[in-house]
Amino acid sequence: MGLEIESNHLLSNIAVNGKHGENSAYFDGWKAYERDPFHPKNNPQGVIQMGLAENQLCFDLIEEWIRNHPEASICTPEGLRHFRDVAIFQDYHGLPKFRKGVANFMSKARGGKVKFDEDRILMSGGATGANELVMFCLADPGDAFLIPAPYYPAFPRDLCWRTRAQIIPVHCDSSNNFKITRAALEAAYVKAQEDKVNVKGLLITNPSNPLGTTLDRETLKSVVQFINENNIHLVCDEIYAATVFNSSSFVSISEIIQDMEFCNKDLIHIVYSLSKDMGLPGFRVGIVYSNSDKVVNNGRKMSSFGLVSSQTQHMLAEMLSDDDFVEKYLAESSRRLAQRHSVFTKGLEKVGIACLPSNAGLFCWMNLRSMLKEQTLEGEMMLWRMIVDDVKLNVSPGSSFNCLEPGWFRVCFANMDEETVDVAVKRIQDFVGKETKKPVKGKNDQGLNLRVSFSSRRFDETVLSSPQMISPHSSAHSPLVKAT
Amino acid sequence: MGLLSTKVTCNSHGQDSSYFLGWQEYEKNPYDRVMNPEGIIQMGLAENQLSFDLLESWLDKNPDAAGFKSAGKSIFRELALFQDYHGLPAFKNALVDFMAEIRGNAVTFDPDHIVLTAGSTSANETLVFCLGEQGDAFLIPTPYYPAFDRDLKWRTGVEIVPIQCSSSNNFQITESALREACEEAKKRNLRVKGVLVTNPSNPLGTTLSRDELNLLIDFINEKNIHLISDEIYSGTVFSSPSFISVMEILEERNYHKDSHPDVWDRVHVVYSLSKDLGLPGFRVGAIYSENNTVVAAATKMSSFGLVSSQTQYLLSALLGDKKFTKKYISKNQKRLKRRQNMLVSGLQKAGINCLNSNAGLFCWVDMRHLLQSNTFDAEMELWKQIVYEVRLNISPGSSFHCTEPGWFRVCFANLSQDTLNLAIKRLKSFVAESSPSGAHHSRESSKTRSLTNWVFRLSSRVREQEER
């Protein structure tokens, strides 16, 4: 397109280099869902969205709290007297009560085993903004962070796009249940040095997305030792902290370093958010917590670029300071997630499908390796296309998480009601049943083109380049989006 | 090898400027009518506190918007989940209508070309990320908003080259100033990517004239560069000449989007609800561009600072009430005008003039005649006196990169009428006592002397406030 070339001169590299990563095949499944979304009554044959790691299980608890606390809103008769003070509050330190509430919630989500200093809490535009902010503080263009793979598909955008830092994946596989090993970290680090790449740190997600597992104490200690010995940073993305089915099994990095006197605490930083634990991604509550004064002071100034709306801060300040509510919420949320996880995994087990044993998260890491025609990326893509087009489930292929072992799929289970879970499980059961019985040739009779190579799975370019592009969080079917 | 990024170690966030030091003093000794009547009056904060009552009364009458309800039905969960970076359509529609209304409907905006961001702080940075990178520069007329040094340069790596304006022509932008700025950029080995103007201007409080706007369009066409028009004060225009948006000029020149796509691809508007509606806490900013690539890139970048869905929803209802917005815009402007008049006439009685202004939440005050000498040192001395003796936190022109010493920005919309009157009274007394008889020399206390040391010693625990 002629205009594109003109634009390249006129605009920055960042604006046109596609490194936001949204052109990946990962989003093909979204298209299918957008075109044909499942609805129990209106479209029971539609595609069920299982690619969205959202927590929709506990809204009733939050709604009840809001109903009972009208003073937490600045717009109700009870809360209106706070309106002007809140409306004018743009201090990047954030409302003190909000920070206190967040510190309180974070601590309770970790079973009260650690306390957080509210003066070290920084705000950001969701965890997306938090991750980018941390990178801007720790890395210069060209610097690298080691990240255990499989990892969240948007990390390249969040950590590298505008910061121009780079990710060095540390690949994990099922031979040891995808655990991070000291050896793997060392190997990646040594190789980076040989390649003359400046490694600034290690980023881990705990609990893990997409694995749904928490890191055990030994692994965490080993990780801390590794970064400390090499004098590099450790960023812990703990946004799924409260999705642990049994909170006592979650060990936070804060707990680990409490007992490691020799560790340089300035190297340890936490990214947090209320998007997963409380199911409030729309409110854009991202948090950076750092033990380094310099990072806190500078990060705080940077948070100007993504402060949390004071209206939202005010409401959450009240909610998160309500100890009764927080404790009740955390317990009930864990219970419901555990139950949902159990229903789902048991349903899969009935047809011999195993998921990686997990104890957290809003998803399962499903093992479909035995169903691959070939143990390759192409094989995974073929199977994936079948799941999206025939089984009508939008699940996420492992390759989109940079998993090198083909055949794994992330399947979300907390973004739908119970009935839909049942429908989804049944569809999988039927599909597996069919697949294990029918000869492979039979698929061609259904007019399916199985010779689909990865490179031809190009996302519809025109859809992407127009303003109506599908976002990773497209809302075409939200009742808030009207036709006009 | 630094452990942290150079962004963090090099202090380019710009917050060590004198602009923020007055805040420290204010925080230590803030005026309160009852508790601390001798305290420092804050006049360095460009906030609009004049019309909250109008917003509050609207909220009172519209409980649904407040309570996450639409037609009585709870939409809490939908809002809680809504994180689409395209933004809430109802909100974008209401916002573009509001923007059009402020411009007397002489321009219309397409909601598909609006990108929502966390305040104009984020909008400006995002736009610069899209348009420039290390080695590039944006030209900005002086005096300009101090935080541009942070917002536009810090993380983007882009430089700012000033377009020097002077009082000789009321700080208007001239062609020679534009060309000199280009030359300066060349000397510094920087590639000019665009011009950024604030219209109405902070700190001048004036709107750009038709001539200036045409000059700018000609200039960016000649150089094939961008024009960013930061119009966050557009709703604060309270007297003539009326506000002319750069978009209007493009329409006037018959630069239709089909026949002259290239011009439209290089003109972008930044907006926010922080000044016009007095809601800086809500973090509502916007980028408007007809350039599809910019919109696409900026939309993805907005992921780093989306507007809270809770806030989008509330404002979609508020701004969607056309009866309300009409009343609000008109009343707000009247109140601003009255306040500005109060300050201007009050200062005149003290023998102090202001730049003739028709917009904004502040006046650009001429205190050159009160300087000991025509230097920035003298401006600092005068400023310290005003902060410590007169006890007013006003902003010295040097912090806005003004080339002429002696100008100060004084805000009038962030305090009550009584407090404003008191401030004027204090200034009048100060001027009277500082007559050429040299009375004020003897009043130079040791406190002021030790201040010189203090001012240049940066304290580590600074409670800086965000403001424009």
Side-chain angles (χ1 to χ4, degrees), chain A residues 180-202:
Chain A
I180 302 166
T181 64
R182 177 70 190 247
L185 291 175
E186 297 279 10
Y189 187 69
V190 165
K191 175 147 198 316
Q193 307 212 289
E194 282 165 12
D195 293 343
K196 304 245 188 313
V197 176
N198 190 21
V199 176
K200 274 327 248 315
L202 166 66

mmCIF file of all heavy atoms in Angstrom, chain A residues 180-202:
data_model
loop_
_atom_site.group_PDB
_atom_site.id
_atom_site.type_symbol
_atom_site.label_atom_id
_atom_site.label_comp_id
_atom_site.label_asym_id
_atom_site.label_seq_id
_atom_site.Cartn_x
_atom_site.Cartn_y
_atom_site.Cartn_z
ATOM 1 N N ILE A 180 10.745 -24.809 36.226
ATOM 2 C CA ILE A 180 11.912 -23.988 35.899
ATOM 3 C C ILE A 180 13.090 -24.608 36.643
ATOM 4 O O ILE A 180 13.012 -24.849 37.850
ATOM 5 C CB ILE A 180 11.729 -22.551 36.402
ATOM 6 C CG1 ILE A 180 10.467 -21.924 35.803
ATOM 7 C CG2 ILE A 180 12.950 -21.696 36.074
ATOM 8 C CD1 ILE A 180 10.043 -20.641 36.512
ATOM 9 N N THR A 181 14.177 -24.865 35.914
ATOM 10 C CA THR A 181 15.329 -25.433 36.599
ATOM 11 C C THR A 181 16.482 -24.443 36.599
ATOM 12 O O THR A 181 16.604 -23.600 35.698
ATOM 13 C CB THR A 181 15.822 -26.720 35.917
ATOM 14 O OG1 THR A 181 16.277 -26.373 34.591
ATOM 15 C CG2 THR A 181 14.711 -27.759 35.835
ATOM 16 N N ARG A 182 17.317 -24.563 37.598
ATOM 17 C CA ARG A 182 18.496 -23.714 37.697
ATOM 18 C C ARG A 182 19.376 -23.906 36.470
ATOM 19 O O ARG A 182 19.914 -22.943 35.910
ATOM 20 C CB ARG A 182 19.250 -24.094 38.970
ATOM 21 C CG ARG A 182 20.548 -23.347 39.209
ATOM 22 C CD ARG A 182 20.315 -21.913 39.547
ATOM 23 N NE ARG A 182 21.561 -21.170 39.550
ATOM 24 C CZ ARG A 182 22.121 -20.635 40.626
ATOM 25 N NH1 ARG A 182 21.547 -20.763 41.807
ATOM 26 N NH2 ARG A 182 23.249 -19.978 40.537
ATOM 27 N N ALA A 183 19.485 -25.133 36.020
ATOM 28 C CA ALA A 183 20.310 -25.444 34.857
ATOM 29 C C ALA A 183 19.824 -24.708 33.614
ATOM 30 O O ALA A 183 20.616 -24.150 32.844
ATOM 31 C CB ALA A 183 20.313 -26.942 34.611
ATOM 32 N N ALA A 184 18.510 -24.700 33.421
ATOM 33 C CA ALA A 184 17.943 -24.031 32.245
ATOM 34 C C ALA A 184 18.217 -22.534 32.308
ATOM 35 O O ALA A 184 18.562 -21.903 31.298
ATOM 36 C CB ALA A 184 16.445 -24.302 32.148
ATOM 37 N N LEU A 185 18.082 -21.973 33.488
ATOM 38 C CA LEU A 185 18.331 -20.544 33.643
ATOM 39 C C LEU A 185 19.800 -20.230 33.344
ATOM 40 O O LEU A 185 20.113 -19.288 32.615
ATOM 41 C CB LEU A 185 17.990 -20.087 35.068
ATOM 42 C CG LEU A 185 16.505 -20.089 35.459
ATOM 43 C CD1 LEU A 185 16.346 -19.728 36.937
ATOM 44 C CD2 LEU A 185 15.704 -19.122 34.604
ATOM 45 N N GLU A 186 20.685 -21.051 33.909
ATOM 46 C CA GLU A 186 22.127 -20.841 33.699
ATOM 47 C C GLU A 186 22.459 -20.906 32.217
ATOM 48 O O GLU A 186 23.183 -20.062 31.694
ATOM 49 C CB GLU A 186 22.943 -21.936 34.413
ATOM 50 C CG GLU A 186 22.814 -21.975 35.900
ATOM 51 C CD GLU A 186 23.695 -20.961 36.617
ATOM 52 O OE1 GLU A 186 24.275 -20.099 35.927
ATOM 53 O OE2 GLU A 186 23.766 -21.034 37.853
ATOM 54 N N ALA A 187 21.927 -21.939 31.557
ATOM 55 C CA ALA A 187 22.226 -22.132 30.141
ATOM 56 C C ALA A 187 21.785 -20.918 29.333
ATOM 57 O O ALA A 187 22.534 -20.419 28.483
ATOM 58 C CB ALA A 187 21.537 -23.390 29.641
ATOM 59 N N ALA A 188 20.590 -20.439 29.609
ATOM 60 C CA ALA A 188 20.076 -19.288 28.861
ATOM 61 C C ALA A 188 20.932 -18.055 29.124
ATOM 62 O O ALA A 188 21.224 -17.268 28.223
ATOM 63 C CB ALA A 188 18.622 -19.023 29.239
ATOM 64 N N TYR A 189 21.326 -17.907 30.381
ATOM 65 C CA TYR A 189 22.111 -16.738 30.766
ATOM 66 C C TYR A 189 23.482 -16.760 30.097
ATOM 67 O O TYR A 189 23.951 -15.754 29.537
ATOM 68 C CB TYR A 189 22.260 -16.706 32.293
ATOM 69 C CG TYR A 189 22.906 -15.459 32.819
ATOM 70 C CD1 TYR A 189 22.244 -14.229 32.762
ATOM 71 C CD2 TYR A 189 24.193 -15.490 33.380
ATOM 72 C CE1 TYR A 189 22.840 -13.069 33.249
ATOM 73 C CE2 TYR A 189 24.784 -14.328 33.866
ATOM 74 C CZ TYR A 189 24.101 -13.124 33.802
ATOM 75 O OH TYR A 189 24.704 -11.995 34.276
ATOM 76 N N VAL A 190 24.115 -17.924 30.130
ATOM 77 C CA VAL A 190 25.450 -18.075 29.520
ATOM 78 C C VAL A 190 25.379 -17.807 28.024
ATOM 79 O O VAL A 190 26.205 -17.093 27.455
ATOM 80 C CB VAL A 190 26.014 -19.479 29.811
ATOM 81 C CG1 VAL A 190 27.188 -19.783 28.903
ATOM 82 C CG2 VAL A 190 26.425 -19.589 31.266
ATOM 83 N N LYS A 191 24.375 -18.381 27.388
ATOM 84 C CA LYS A 191 24.226 -18.188 25.938
ATOM 85 C C LYS A 191 24.041 -16.709 25.620
ATOM 86 O O LYS A 191 24.614 -16.171 24.666
ATOM 87 C CB LYS A 191 23.029 -18.995 25.424
ATOM 88 C CG LYS A 191 22.746 -18.728 23.949
ATOM 89 C CD LYS A 191 22.206 -19.914 23.194
ATOM 90 C CE LYS A 191 22.337 -19.761 21.687
ATOM 91 N NZ LYS A 191 21.970 -18.430 21.163
ATOM 92 N N ALA A 192 23.274 -16.005 26.434
ATOM 93 C CA ALA A 192 23.043 -14.576 26.190
ATOM 94 C C ALA A 192 24.367 -13.819 26.261
ATOM 95 O O ALA A 192 24.653 -12.948 25.430
ATOM 96 C CB ALA A 192 22.054 -14.023 27.204
ATOM 97 N N GLN A 193 25.177 -14.183 27.227
ATOM 98 C CA GLN A 193 26.458 -13.507 27.372
ATOM 99 C C GLN A 193 27.353 -13.773 26.160
ATOM 100 O O GLN A 193 28.022 -12.876 25.656
ATOM 101 C CB GLN A 193 27.160 -13.980 28.640
ATOM 102 C CG GLN A 193 26.248 -13.831 29.836
ATOM 103 C CD GLN A 193 26.975 -13.526 31.109
ATOM 104 O OE1 GLN A 193 27.644 -14.369 31.628
ATOM 105 N NE2 GLN A 193 26.818 -12.311 31.579
ATOM 106 N N GLU A 194 27.319 -15.032 25.686
ATOM 107 C CA GLU A 194 28.090 -15.371 24.485
ATOM 108 C C GLU A 194 27.619 -14.552 23.298
ATOM 109 O O GLU A 194 28.412 -14.135 22.452
ATOM 110 C CB GLU A 194 27.945 -16.856 24.160
ATOM 111 C CG GLU A 194 28.800 -17.759 25.023
ATOM 112 C CD GLU A 194 28.365 -19.212 24.939
ATOM 113 O OE1 GLU A 194 27.551 -19.523 24.033
ATOM 114 O OE2 GLU A 194 28.803 -20.011 25.781
ATOM 115 N N ASP A 195 26.315 -14.337 23.240
ATOM 116 C CA ASP A 195 25.747 -13.559 22.140
ATOM 117 C C ASP A 195 25.873 -12.065 22.386
ATOM 118 O O ASP A 195 25.322 -11.257 21.645
ATOM 119 C CB ASP A 195 24.244 -13.899 21.971
ATOM 120 C CG ASP A 195 24.034 -15.326 21.505
ATOM 121 O OD1 ASP A 195 25.009 -15.930 21.006
ATOM 122 O OD2 ASP A 195 22.895 -15.833 21.647
ATOM 123 N N LYS A 196 26.552 -11.715 23.454
ATOM 124 C CA LYS A 196 26.768 -10.318 23.822
ATOM 125 C C LYS A 196 25.463 -9.568 24.068
ATOM 126 O O LYS A 196 25.319 -8.385 23.731
ATOM 127 C CB LYS A 196 27.592 -9.568 22.762
ATOM 128 C CG LYS A 196 28.936 -10.166 22.430
ATOM 129 C CD LYS A 196 30.063 -9.224 22.857
ATOM 130 C CE LYS A 196 31.451 -9.665 22.385
ATOM 131 N NZ LYS A 196 31.758 -11.082 22.607
ATOM 132 N N VAL A 197 24.475 -10.275 24.614
ATOM 133 C CA VAL A 197 23.217 -9.637 24.985
ATOM 134 C C VAL A 197 23.240 -9.353 26.481
ATOM 135 O O VAL A 197 23.590 -10.227 27.276
ATOM 136 C CB VAL A 197 22.007 -10.547 24.654
ATOM 137 C CG1 VAL A 197 20.717 -9.909 25.142
ATOM 138 C CG2 VAL A 197 21.938 -10.798 23.161
ATOM 139 N N ASN A 198 22.877 -8.136 26.843
ATOM 140 C CA ASN A 198 22.925 -7.727 28.231
ATOM 141 C C ASN A 198 21.649 -8.147 28.960
ATOM 142 O O ASN A 198 20.576 -7.574 28.750
ATOM 143 C CB ASN A 198 23.070 -6.195 28.274
ATOM 144 C CG ASN A 198 23.380 -5.701 29.669
ATOM 145 O OD1 ASN A 198 23.866 -6.462 30.505
ATOM 146 N ND2 ASN A 198 23.077 -4.448 29.929
ATOM 147 N N VAL A 199 21.764 -9.175 29.797
ATOM 148 C CA VAL A 199 20.581 -9.646 30.519
ATOM 149 C C VAL A 199 20.389 -8.808 31.775
ATOM 150 O O VAL A 199 21.265 -8.725 32.627
ATOM 151 C CB VAL A 199 20.729 -11.131 30.912
ATOM 152 C CG1 VAL A 199 19.524 -11.570 31.751
ATOM 153 C CG2 VAL A 199 20.844 -11.998 29.670
ATOM 154 N N LYS A 200 19.227 -8.170 31.899
ATOM 155 C CA LYS A 200 18.969 -7.299 33.051
ATOM 156 C C LYS A 200 18.172 -8.007 34.141
ATOM 157 O O LYS A 200 18.133 -7.550 35.282
ATOM 158 C CB LYS A 200 18.205 -6.047 32.640
ATOM 159 C CG LYS A 200 19.009 -4.856 32.127
ATOM 160 C CD LYS A 200 20.359 -4.656 32.736
ATOM 161 C CE LYS A 200 20.551 -3.427 33.614
ATOM 162 N NZ LYS A 200 20.025 -2.196 33.093
ATOM 163 N N GLY A 201 17.479 -9.090 33.749
ATOM 164 C CA GLY A 201 16.699 -9.740 34.787
ATOM 165 C C GLY A 201 15.951 -10.954 34.314
ATOM 166 O O GLY A 201 16.064 -11.388 33.156
ATOM 167 N N LEU A 202 15.180 -11.476 35.252
ATOM 168 C CA LEU A 202 14.345 -12.653 35.018
ATOM 169 C C LEU A 202 12.922 -12.276 35.398
ATOM 170 O O LEU A 202 12.705 -11.615 36.425
ATOM 171 C CB LEU A 202 14.833 -13.804 35.898
ATOM 172 C CG LEU A 202 13.941 -15.044 36.071
ATOM 173 C CD1 LEU A 202 13.789 -15.796 34.755
ATOM 174 C CD2 LEU A 202 14.545 -15.973 37.125
#
